[in-house]
Amino acid sequence: MPDEPEWLECSVDRLIAVRPDGYTVARVTGTDGTELIVSGRPLSGVQPGETVRVRGAWVTHAKYGDQLAVDVCEPTAPSGVRAIRLYLASGIVRGIGPKLAAAIVDAFGARTLEVIDETPERLLEVNLIGPGRKDLIVDSWIAHKQVRELMVLLQGYGIGPSYAVKIYGEFGDSSAEIVTGDPYRLIEAVRGIGFTTADKIAMASGIPEDSPVRARAAVLDRLDAAAAVSGHCYLPYASLLAAAVALLGQDQLLVRQAVDALAEQRRIVIDTGIGAGQAVYERRMWDRERRVAEALGALAQAASDLPKAVLRRMDALEAAEREEQAEREEQAERAEEGEAAEGLHPQQLAAVRMALTHTVSVLTGGPGCGKSRTVDTIAALVRAGGGKVTLAAPTGKAAKRLAQLTGRPAMTVHRLVADKKDGLDSGALFDDDPLYADLIVVDEASMLDVSLAAKLASRLVPGSHLLLVGDEDQLPSIGAGRVLADLLRVPGVPHTRLTHVFRQAAGSSITTNAHLIRQGRPPVLHAAPGFWFEDCDDPAAVADRVVEIATHLIPAKQGVDHTQVQVLCPSRKGHTGTIELGRRIQERLNPAMEGRPEHWSGATVFRVGDAVTQIRNDYLKGRAGVFNGTTGTVTAISPEDRTLTVLTEDNETVAHDFDELEDLLHAYAISVHRSQGSEYPFVVAPITTESGGLLLRRSLLYTLVTRAKTSVVLVGQRKALRLAVEVAGQPRNTGLAQRLAAELAGPEAEAGEPEMLL
């Protein structure tokens, strides 16, 4: 084969591999019918059925043999009957599947695309195409053409073509105009496009480096990044200036002017009452934090509407427990083993009284300390006294687990607070509006971010009781804020922490080690059968071992299905990150098979049979919305309809458009953060310093270990495990505790509308 670069026109038959950086390996067919392999980053975003013109040099790969290493890839219209048929059959044009593609090409031959483009009414000549299907095909064809043109435009700026569909979905016919004229608008409007990508377009378009528009975009980007990456609700003024200056490479004066302009536009708030008077908030974040404080303050100071009969039943319970405790102590003295049954602990009784005598309160505790039993007791007392109880949790998994533990219906917080216009049927679980309850219990409250807490707090009814239940030693929320931790810092918010570990739980090596980790002490490494650590230094070898243990050894030894084993990872990247481990487990459990449908979305390939999890709330899907944390199995992939169908854990069938697949992740290996609120029979996890150890924190390890019900296996480096135990979590910049303390202290202590530092 020649060594010099050459051009080749080909149709894409199948994607073999796609890396996160866009590097793609594909099997293609040339115009002469020759099948070959092409590879390279310029192929990023291509889909089976497309026709492309590529330039590259021939190389020999150890696995795939001879292939064309591509340095230029240009989309082009397919030529020839075969290429056109493959193109239309691929599902690129909505409404056309393989059968209809063959019928259309049989009718119009090599002129097929010309007919669709110039005389689309002729499609009605084809059997099976009526007016509705014709309009669907034409609309999809027009959109596809514009997306292809947008791909070419983005490539001119050195931007991967995968963003074209997202941009077009947001801006439609105005996409090209937005990209070339106001690229910084893409940052807020298009998921995945940050300042760096938008700035690359802007600089190539001739926007000056010292442009005020560019500086304002950098300031907003740094605030967004602080919230998304570090969970901060605000940045100190000096920190924001430094971060934006570093991003821009410009003088600090330009950034100061940008901050002033954004404050004047009310897009940011400089709150002189928070963070030593230098707290800079994105406006929406400031609004949310203040709403939480105001609403919880009002609820805490409102008179209780709890039926009096509930308090009488509480008094009776306490009296009965005191008598039973005396009897148990007597029995324990007479018993040879001293194993009398345990009743409610005094800490639990204190928590019951707290929740029923205060309109806002917090219950915390580690594993085996009886949080669930305490909640169940509180809820039972309210119901027995004629009151109404609503149980909720931040994720679907957590809500389902809460329902199983209490034997009562539970719902997600999103569903609880959703507006009627969102179409969520909360009445499917409750006789009336669940917000009009005497007691609202929110479990796994460590997962509440300030945005979700604001929605909940602003809809609470004065007179109701709110009980937040959680474990403050777990990871904080994925979203910005630390609501549970902030409430625990406010002296005026009643709080009971359960520390007594019950005998049944104390026998678990998982529970024992979890409490050791919480205390900053090293766990017992080989506490069979529930806890095991396998020493391995090389991250690549760690990955091999994790895959083997999760897919073969545990299922074989324990006699369970592989679905009972969950791989949890501290990070996304590297040999031991969720991306690579998930890909390898997918290839082991659900590899590509001839004739089985699959669809590539970016660097992710979805196949029928894949385990997936929802990562964003979608109120419009299913009977009552699909929420972050919902898991399921891919049951169908339809190129013709451009949809992927998932059967959820709740036995509901939900369709996802191909353009919505960023809302789904494979569930073969997930981050520890995403595992919150869930429990799994068996957990396997890599523990390495591969990513620099920045994510290894005590709260992460503690959360990881407490996700397992039967056993947890850690594979990795002792130094990484030691680091995870010793390093406490990083604080988040929040003002909620200060605001709520001011609300509870009275009007004279409230900060009010902040002054602006201009």
Side-chain angles (χ1 to χ4, degrees):
M1 292 186 179
D3 294 330
E4 67 275 7
E6 66 175 73
W7 286 94
L8 173 71
E9 183 175 318
C10 55
S11 56
V12 181
D13 298 329
R14 176 175 171 263
L15 300 183
I16 297 173
V18 181
R19 291 196 318 220
D21 65 359
Y23 184 90
T24 300
V25 181
R27 187 178 67 197
V28 302
T29 300
T31 53
D32 62 355
T34 302
E35 292 187 355
L36 58 144
I37 303 295
V38 295
S39 62
R41 287 191 64 184
L43 294 166
S44 172
V46 301
Q47 288 292 326
E50 287 188 301
T51 299
V52 294
R53 188 167 176 261
V54 298
R55 187 190 71 184
W58 290 100
V59 297
T60 300
H61 188 276
K63 181 176 181 180
Y64 299 112
D66 293 329
Q67 60 184 256
L68 189 69
V70 174
D71 56 36
V72 176
C73 176
E74 301 172 349
T76 184
S79 59
V81 170
R82 177 186 179 279
I84 293 172
R85 182 182 290 111
L86 289 174
Y87 181 66
L88 295 179
S90 68
I92 284 176
V93 179
R94 190 185 298 274
I96 301 179
K99 184 176 180 180
L100 191 54
I104 294 172
V105 175
D106 286 345
F108 304 116
R111 296 185 62 249
T112 295
L113 300 185
E114 180 184 333
V115 169
I116 298 174
D117 206 27
E118 299 176 4
T119 56
E121 63 276 2
R122 290 197 61 194
L123 289 171
L124 295 172
E125 299 173 15
V126 180
N127 191 25
L128 302 178
I129 296 183
R133 177 61 64 92
K134 185 265 292 182
D135 291 342
L136 176 64
I137 292 171
V138 171
D139 290 344
S140 179
W141 174 253
I142 293 172
H144 179 63
K145 282 184 62 180
Q146 292 178 321
V147 168
R148 287 170 68 90
E149 292 169 1
L150 196 56
M151 286 180 176
V152 175
L153 175 65
L154 291 174
Q155 282 186 325
Y157 293 116
I159 306 298
S162 59
Y163 290 116
V165 173
K166 300 179 190 177
I167 295 172
Y168 184 81
E170 184 65 33
F171 296 109
D173 296 344
S174 302
S175 296
E177 181 183 347
I178 296 294
V179 168
T180 57
D182 192 6
Y184 295 111
R185 282 186 64 186
L186 302 175
I187 298 174
E188 292 186 60
V190 182
R191 188 186 303 156
I193 293 184
F195 179 85
T196 302
T197 300
D199 199 47
K200 192 174 185 179
I201 299 173
M203 294 298 95
S205 300
I207 294 177
E209 290 187 4
D210 61 353
S211 164
V213 173
R214 180 173 184 253
R216 291 195 294 270
V219 170
L220 292 173
D221 177 81
R222 292 301 82 194
L223 287 174
D224 287 343
V229 177
S230 302
H232 296 313
C233 290
Y234 71 83
L235 280 178
Y237 188 83
S239 299
L240 176 60
L241 288 183
V245 165
L247 186 62
L248 288 169
Q250 296 293 305
D251 187 83
Q252 190 182 94
L253 177 61
L254 180 67
V255 178
R256 287 183 178 274
Q257 292 171 341
V259 171
D260 292 347
L262 290 167
E264 288 177 355
Q265 297 167 8
R266 298 180 65 80
R267 298 183 69 184
I268 66 173
V269 172
I270 306 174
D271 196 326
T272 59
I274 300 294
Q278 295 282 304
V280 185
Y281 285 82
E282 191 270 331
R283 180 77 194 195
R284 288 170 298 183
M285 192 67 71
W286 181 78
D287 282 335
R288 291 163 184 164
E289 194 175 83
R290 196 171 68 154
R291 279 164 52 200
V292 175
E294 290 175 349
L296 290 184
L299 183 66
Q301 297 173 86
S304 170
D305 287 338
L306 203 64
K308 301 300 182 188
V310 175
L311 299 180
R312 289 196 295 270
R313 287 181 176 274
M314 177 187 68
D315 293 337
L317 172 69
E318 289 178 331
E321 281 293 327
R322 281 195 296 269
E323 290 181 11
E324 290 180 16
Q325 179 63 27
E327 289 182 14
R328 284 192 291 268
E329 290 173 357
E330 229 178 278
Q331 292 172 7
E333 289 177 4
R334 293 196 300 267
E336 291 183 9
E337 301 296 328
E339 290 292 339
E342 292 181 276
L344 286 175
H345 189 270
Q347 291 177 345
Q348 292 176 301
L349 288 173
V352 172
R353 176 164 288 278
M354 173 194 71
L356 299 181
T357 55
H358 294 87
T359 48
V360 176
S361 59
V362 180
L363 171 63
T364 64
C369 292
K371 292 195 302 295
S372 297
R373 185 180 178 192
T374 305
V375 169
D376 198 25
T377 301
I378 295 168
L381 285 172
V382 174
R383 291 192 182 96
K388 295 180 180 179
V389 179
T390 293
L391 303 178
T395 67
K397 279 265 191 177
K400 187 174 183 179
R401 180 165 165 253
L402 178 61
Q404 291 170 341
L405 290 171
T406 61
R408 300 285 182 175
M411 66 199 316
T412 64
V413 177
H414 304 88
R415 187 174 176 187
L416 173 64
V417 301
D419 293 329
K420 300 289 185 183
K421 63 183 180 182
D422 291 324
L424 297 192
D425 181 17
S426 57
L429 288 177
F430 298 87
D431 296 333
D432 49 21
D433 191 335
L435 284 164
Y436 286 90
D438 297 284
L439 171 68
I440 296 176
V441 178
V442 178
D443 197 16
E444 298 289 353
S446 63
M447 301 173 66
L448 280 178
D449 60 30
V450 72
S451 298
L452 183 55
K455 292 180 181 178
L456 172 64
S458 61
R459 298 202 61 197
L460 293 172
V461 180
S464 297
H465 285 232
L466 174 67
L467 174 63
L468 298 179
V469 182
D471 187 343
E472 71 267 36
D473 294 310
Q474 288 189 23
L475 283 168
S477 57
I478 294 177
R482 49 172 188 180
V483 175
L484 181 64
D486 280 345
L487 264 60
L488 295 176
R489 293 168 55 209
V490 181
V493 176
H495 166 220
T496 299
R497 180 186 177 102
L498 304 179
T499 58
H500 172 73
V501 180
F502 287 87
R503 280 193 294 269
Q504 185 176 1
S508 164
S509 53
I510 294 175
T511 299
T512 300
N513 275 333
H515 284 280
L516 288 173
I517 293 167
R518 181 181 61 79
Q519 297 162 13
R521 298 164 59 190
V524 180
L525 296 188
H526 301 115
F531 193 99
W532 191 262
F533 177 80
E534 188 164 314
D535 209 335
C536 186
D537 273 336
D538 178 42
V542 170
D544 290 339
R545 191 59 176 163
V546 166
V547 172
E548 181 67 13
I549 291 172
T551 63
H552 175 66
L553 294 182
I554 289 180
K557 185 174 181 179
Q558 300 294 333
V560 298
D561 188 79
H562 65 81
T563 58
Q564 301 296 299
V565 185
Q566 181 63 57
V567 173
L568 301 181
C569 305
S571 64
R572 294 179 61 251
K573 299 180 180 179
H575 293 93
T576 58
T578 58
I579 296 173
E580 179 62 16
L581 280 177
R583 183 194 65 78
R584 292 182 58 178
I585 295 173
Q586 180 194 33
E587 290 303 314
R588 177 77 70 96
L589 299 177
N590 194 28
M593 293 179 61
E594 203 68 40
R596 177 157 54 182
E598 66 177 36
H599 176 76
W600 285 85
S601 176
T604 302
V605 58
F606 291 97
R607 299 177 181 132
V608 171
D610 275 340
V612 293
T613 183
Q614 181 85 10
I615 63 171
R616 292 182 183 86
N617 302 321
D618 191 328
Y619 298 107
L620 302 180
K621 290 191 182 300
R623 294 186 300 270
V626 179
F627 301 107
N628 181 12
T630 299
T631 60
T633 304
V634 178
T635 55
I637 297 174
S638 172
E640 180 177 356
D641 298 325
R642 294 186 59 78
T643 59
L644 177 149
T645 303
V646 174
L647 180 65
T648 72
E649 58 193 326
D650 296 320
N651 205 35
E652 183 175 13
T653 299
V654 177
H656 297 263
D657 191 271
F658 281 174
D659 297 337
E660 301 172 326
L661 295 184
E662 280 195 342
D663 291 346
L664 288 180
L665 286 180
H666 284 134
Y668 297 111
I670 63 175
S671 69
V672 179
H673 251 118
R674 296 210 172 276
S675 73
Q676 289 184 90
S678 301
E679 276 192 341
Y680 312 96
F682 302 92
V683 166
V684 184
I687 300 292
T688 74
T689 57
E690 183 181 18
S691 299
L694 296 177
L695 296 175
L696 294 177
R697 296 289 184 270
R698 187 181 305 153
S699 58
L700 181 140
L701 182 61
Y702 177 78
T703 303
L704 187 163
V705 169
T706 54
R707 298 310 91 203
K709 290 192 292 186
T710 302
S711 73
V712 58
V713 179
L714 305 179
V715 182
Q717 304 157 337
R718 287 179 182 264
K719 61 181 178 182
L721 183 64
R722 184 171 60 252
L723 183 67
V725 172
E726 293 175 352
V727 178
Q730 293 180 322
R732 293 183 169 188
N733 298 331
T734 69
L736 177 59
Q738 188 175 340
R739 296 185 199 280
L740 181 54
E743 291 288 338
L744 296 176
E748 67 281 356
E750 294 179 10
E753 186 77 14
E755 299 176 15
M756 302 299 177
L757 299 179
L758 301 178

